[in-house]
Amino acid sequence: MTHSLPKLLVANRGEIAVRIIKAAKALGIPTVAICSDVDTETMAVQLADEFCVIGKARADQSYLNGEAILNAAKETNATMIHPGYGFLAENADFAKAVEAAGLIFVGPDAQTIRNMGNKAEARRLAKQANVPIVPGYEGTIDSIDEALSIAEKIGYPLLIKAAAGGGGRGIRLATTAQELAKELPIAQGEAQAAFGDKTIYLERFIKRARHIEVQIVSDGERAIHLYERECSLQRRRQKVFEEAPSPVLTNDLREKLCTSAVRLAETIHYKGAGTLEYLYDEAIGEFFFIEMNTRIQVEHPVSELITGVDIVQEMLKIACGEKLSLHQEQIELQGTAIEMRINAEDPSRNFFPSPGIINELKWPQLAGVRIDTFVYQGYKVVAYYDSLIAKIIVYAPTREQALVKAQEALEGTTLIGINTTIPLHQWLLSLDEVRKAEFDTGTLELLLTDSIKLELIKGAI
Amino acid sequence: MSTFEIISPLPGTFYRKAAPDVPNYVEEGQAVTPQTVIGLIEVMKQYSEVYAEQTGVIESFEVGDGDPVEPGQVIALIK
């Protein structure tokens, strides 16, 4: 169903709000920005056609306040709401409330969000679509005895995961049966406290894995993929440095991986943009689905640059009722893109947040460099939200050239007034591990605990 | 003996421990050094350690586990 005269309310902030507003502008859709009372100076508010202050600084009073967001939509006669990432993006109740209010939620329907948000259910659906999953047990487990006998079949070490968890949270490790017996009730208690649902499931622990994810876009009937991204460099389960394509997949594996993602999207009649996350066990050359994110992701630009597709525009078009205009045969993988997340954090103080005024800001003026940001010279970075202030994304015909361009982009950036993770990225680009793509999801944390390396970061400032 | 205030530089949620089921980082009456972690502040699911920054003994905590904190708010006293 298409609404005439669409008007988009962006229920988010920061760089993704700017990104969504730009995509809407390109499609001729008027925009409404919402913000908290400390966010009235951000770029999104300035770019949007209108804005509403919906609450106080703390997220639960503003960006997590679904009622306030819907009120703003009604006041401004918005017809669509794009939730961005984080906040309410994967909140099925919010999606349902948007639909109940007669508005379009830019994303899949509430039931799909709920299904894929339940990790155990997502595994079950993946299995149904013939997508390889991490060996485990996808039913719910009620007793320790049941858990122990299931664990015998999966093998140790294994992970106890909250079914309602995600984003790296609600996970505990058990290396023996005794540990499992001890950790299980704790995991259930934590799951209840953090996610309101004590359901847990068990999964084999893959010790050395690469985090590879596939971007899909789907209109409810037909899905396409935009190839994969590798996001193995993480600190405290937060991605820091991402690239597309993965430097280690063969064409054959890529084909199998990406078509499996399309298969799952079509099996569940997915509508919108989404990402399927996999663990790739390089030692045995196998990939395993772990979860699906039913939202746009921070690192989406690298997929856009290697395929030429504007994912956010596609989300808006599909939400307006259009069928997917792209065909898989049209989507060519060209070149390499690398994204460096620039956070307002001090690497020499264990990445402590570094809010404050950006006194001077100059981005590099180079071909093949894209900057996604919401800050500008004179802007005051506040401490109430996550610390991502910009993404420096580079694109080149080869990975080697992209790494060089990444270094040039960092050198061409002037940012004075707050501490940022620019020195961290300069250090990463100097590492053999990064140049040769010899890393897995544990690599960055290991490197960061090496005090010699920390001195290098301090020296780079 | 003077009292040193550990002040929150951030708005967020203060935690006395690294996870729900482990003991507190430190207890009242415990000796600390500048590098002792006395708690965590969480902002948008990102956790930052709060350090004692002084040598001394924890006199009291002014904020409880899971309480919100604002910049400038006193978290604990060290003497």
Side-chain angles (χ1 to χ4, degrees), chain A residues 170-213:
Chain A
I171 302 177
R172 298 189 81 87
L173 178 70
T175 59
T176 63
Q178 288 97 312
E179 273 182 28
L180 177 59
K182 173 175 158 278
E183 296 286 326
L184 185 66
I186 297 172
Q188 285 172 315
E190 270 183 7
Q192 181 65 46
F195 312 112
D197 179 352
K198 73 175 172 69
T199 315
I200 57 97
Y201 65 101
L202 302 178
E203 219 177 58
R204 181 189 297 166
F205 176 57
I206 297 172
K207 192 165 170 160
R208 305 187 71 80
R210 301 181 78 117
H211 175 119
I212 298 184
E213 55 189 40

Side-chain angles (χ1 to χ4, degrees), chain A residues 148-182:
Chain A
L148 288 170
S149 77
I150 289 164
E152 290 300 305
K153 299 191 195 105
I154 300 172
Y156 293 93
L158 53 78
L159 292 176
I160 310 167
K161 289 188 168 182
R169 301 166 61 213
I171 302 177
R172 298 189 81 87
L173 178 70
T175 59
T176 63
Q178 288 97 312
E179 273 182 28
L180 177 59
K182 173 175 158 278

Side-chain angles (χ1 to χ4, degrees), chain A residues 157-272:
Chain A
L158 53 78
L159 292 176
I160 310 167
K161 289 188 168 182
R169 301 166 61 213
I171 302 177
R172 298 189 81 87
L173 178 70
T175 59
T176 63
Q178 288 97 312
E179 273 182 28
L180 177 59
K182 173 175 158 278
E183 296 286 326
L184 185 66
I186 297 172
Q188 285 172 315
E190 270 183 7
Q192 181 65 46
F195 312 112
D197 179 352
K198 73 175 172 69
T199 315
I200 57 97
Y201 65 101
L202 302 178
E203 219 177 58
R204 181 189 297 166
F205 176 57
I206 297 172
K207 192 165 170 160
R208 305 187 71 80
R210 301 181 78 117
H211 175 119
I212 298 184
E213 55 189 40
V214 180
Q215 177 72 55
I216 57 104
V217 186
S218 184
D219 61 14
E221 285 169 22
R222 195 171 61 82
I224 57 159
H225 68 77
L226 299 179
Y227 299 98
E228 81 282 2
R229 300 183 284 259
E230 173 148 9
C231 315
S232 298
L233 291 169
Q234 302 176 12
R235 178 187 167 261
R236 297 189 174 181
R237 298 190 193 275
Q238 296 278 305
K239 296 163 186 172
V240 166
F241 178 107
E242 306 108 331
E243 59 187 291
S246 164
V248 298
L249 291 184
T250 60
N251 286 331
D252 188 55
L253 264 171
R254 169 169 297 118
E255 177 69 16
K256 288 201 176 90
L257 176 76
C258 294
T259 53
S260 80
V262 168
R263 220 164 37 242
L264 180 49
E266 288 181 349
T267 299
I268 62 174
H269 300 289
Y270 191 81
K271 195 160 169 252

Side-chain angles (χ1 to χ4, degrees), chain A residues 366-382:
Chain A
L366 288 169
V369 177
R370 167 177 158 177
I371 310 289
D372 281 24
T373 187
F374 68 104
V375 304
Y376 48 87
Q377 186 165 301
Y379 175 75
K380 184 175 172 206
V381 177
V382 298

